[in-house]
Amino acid sequence: MKKRNGKPMFCILAAFLLTACGFEPVGEQTSSELKPLLDNTTATTTTTTTETTTTEPPEPEDPSVRVISVGDNLVQKHVYLAAQNWAADGTYDFTKSYENITDVIALGDIRMINQETLIANDQYEISGSNFNFNSPTQLGEELMDVGFNVITMANNHLLDKGIGGLEATLDYWDKMKETNDITVLGAYRDAEDMNRLRTMEVNGMTVAFLAYTEHINGYKVPSDSPVEVVLTSELEVMQEQIESAKRVADAVIVSVHWGVEDTHYVPEERKMLAQDMVNWGADVIVGTHTHTAETMEYITRADGTQGFVFYSLGNFISAQTDNFNCVGEMADFTLTVDLETCEVIVSDVQVIPVITHYDNGQFKDLRLYPYYMYTSALADSHGLPVAPLGTAKDFSMDVINRIIDENIPKEFQQLGIPDGITYP
């Protein structure tokens, strides 16, 4: 991959455009029309002045890209059983699971999802519990229909079906890439594949993607396998990759699967790692894994520029049964390159809460709702067991609002209808 001497391509183009020469100004033009001399007639000289306007080339606009990113697509047993109930032919139809959020996903130029479970090309048993996940191939097809175009795989369930299951999942996504314009990252065939930086050209901006996971449930890639997965403990590898990505791309988005499950607390060591990644060149860090909504913030570098971190977006979809697992985050933000300073600016940061809903009785009709579509009537009919107030099983709009207010700073909450969506 060709390097650009550490300068984003847009800055190079901007410098060229801003120094390009226009037409040279043209001064007075003089023409003389001499009439024949007859006797005492004197020749007359006529002077004509022509005005010339110089047109400056238009100022190039700062390129920008809108990103929508969601958390863990945790397709547990009852998620795919709901899809099976909706299918007429005994297979799986996930349309109703995701149909309420398609308008939100469509807002983005870049549309990211962390695919928490394997999709091992129907070569392995469909399963969805404990450390044994493999989803039907119809799930991936639905994600394409919804519109996701960046799929991150780096998570703790990569080896749930052994190295063969991971390789079959890579096969599946390679097949999907034949008919869909998607970027897939987080697990790689070999070192050469890992070092092939994933980028997208969007609105003229080059955006690079990297993905890491804290662990893979205690498993290790077999020593005789060339498959590569980068763990967050491999700091030198991460630093080299992020710095290299920043040299060849205008903006860098890093997906990190980290943290302690079922907690909202962000420990200092995770904040320090986020600071390191931003210092190395990450513009946005998208955290996943905790299955809970966590806070977010701007992070400032020594030179005063800033990156942004979402510590965890929580679940996108799941069949988990605590109230804090049923309220996730959909991140909505804009990346802009300032052509004068070459700074990447993260702006218009909004978080749209997303609720996993299932009706009473064996996770019936499990589906997603953005916050602006959810109602008190739906909350009251949620399939969580009836429980005392204040417990993890208690569910209501008050509980949802408490989870939001405790974990999403007010300045980033988007509880109304986002711009670009007409509803109802």
Side-chain angles (χ1 to χ4, degrees), residues 30-35 42-48:
T30 303
S31 62
S32 298
E33 183 180 347
L34 301 180
K35 294 183 179 180
T42 303
T44 304
T45 301
T46 304
T47 300
T48 304

Side-chain angles (χ1 to χ4, degrees), residues 213-233:
T213 182
E214 195 169 69
H215 61 86
I216 43 180
N217 288 341
Y219 296 120
K220 293 183 179 180
V221 174
S223 58
D224 60 350
S225 171
V227 167
E228 294 279 357
V229 177
V230 181
L231 304 180
T232 56
S233 57

Side-chain angles (χ1 to χ4, degrees), residues 197-212:
L197 181 65
R198 272 59 171 172
T199 64
M200 291 180 64
E201 299 288 336
V202 187
N203 299 338
M205 185 192 299
T206 302
V207 182
F209 304 92
L210 295 164
Y212 308 111

Side-chain angles (χ1 to χ4, degrees), residues 84-325:
Q84 190 174 51
N85 288 336
W86 281 319
D89 57 1
T91 58
Y92 303 89
D93 183 352
F94 289 92
T95 305
K96 291 184 179 179
S97 302
Y98 298 98
E99 64 182 358
N100 293 326
I101 51 80
T102 54
D103 286 348
V104 174
I105 305 307
L107 294 173
D109 302 302
I110 293 172
R111 304 173 292 276
M112 299 177 59
I113 186 170
N114 179 55
Q115 181 47 45
E116 180 87 356
T117 57
L118 299 172
I119 305 178
N121 230 7
D122 288 338
Q123 297 178 32
Y124 291 79
E125 177 188 10
I126 303 301
S127 54
S129 59
N130 297 324
F131 297 145
N132 186 17
F133 289 103
N134 179 41
S135 299
T137 55
Q138 290 87 356
L139 172 66
E141 294 165 9
E142 178 61 24
L143 297 184
M144 299 301 93
D145 289 343
V146 171
F148 290 105
N149 57 11
V150 177
I151 314 294
T152 64
M153 292 177 58
N155 64 71
N156 55 305
H157 292 288
L158 286 175
L159 293 178
D160 278 9
K161 297 292 185 181
I163 194 66
L166 177 52
E167 291 174 334
T169 300
L170 292 172
D171 290 341
Y172 174 78
W173 287 116
D174 281 348
K175 186 69 175 177
M176 296 300 285
K177 284 189 283 188
E178 293 177 5
T179 54
N180 298 275
D181 186 13
I182 58 174
T183 297
V184 183
L185 70 153
Y188 310 96
R189 299 281 185 183
D190 50 34
E192 181 181 0
D193 184 29
M194 180 184 71
N195 292 324
R196 190 178 300 118
L197 181 65
R198 272 59 171 172
T199 64
M200 291 180 64
E201 299 288 336
V202 187
N203 299 338
M205 185 192 299
T206 302
V207 182
F209 304 92
L210 295 164
Y212 308 111
T213 182
E214 195 169 69
H215 61 86
I216 43 180
N217 288 341
Y219 296 120
K220 293 183 179 180
V221 174
S223 58
D224 60 350
S225 171
V227 167
E228 294 279 357
V229 177
V230 181
L231 304 180
T232 56
S233 57
E234 300 177 75
L235 296 178
E236 291 184 2
V237 175
M238 292 170 58
Q239 180 175 356
E240 180 182 358
Q241 289 188 343
I242 294 171
E243 290 178 346
S244 296
K246 192 60 176 179
R247 286 194 292 269
V248 300
D250 299 308
V252 179
I253 299 177
V254 180
S255 174
V256 191
H257 205 68
W258 58 0
V260 179
E261 293 186 5
D262 293 342
T263 67
H264 298 282
Y265 173 67
V266 182
E268 192 61 30
E269 59 266 26
R270 191 141 51 107
K271 293 183 178 182
M272 292 173 61
L273 181 54
Q275 178 74 65
D276 286 341
M277 288 189 285
V278 169
N279 290 344
W280 297 334
D283 294 297
V284 175
I285 300 166
V286 178
T288 56
H289 177 60
T290 65
H291 307 303
T292 56
E294 291 189 341
T295 193
M296 61 225 58
E297 63 181 341
Y298 281 96
I299 295 179
T300 304
R301 304 181 183 93
D303 63 1
T305 62
Q306 291 184 312
F308 196 88
V309 56
F310 299 91
Y311 286 105
S312 180
L313 299 182
N315 284 334
F316 186 47
I317 203 169
S318 78
Q320 292 186 303
T321 58
D322 285 324
N323 51 29
F324 47 75
N325 299 136

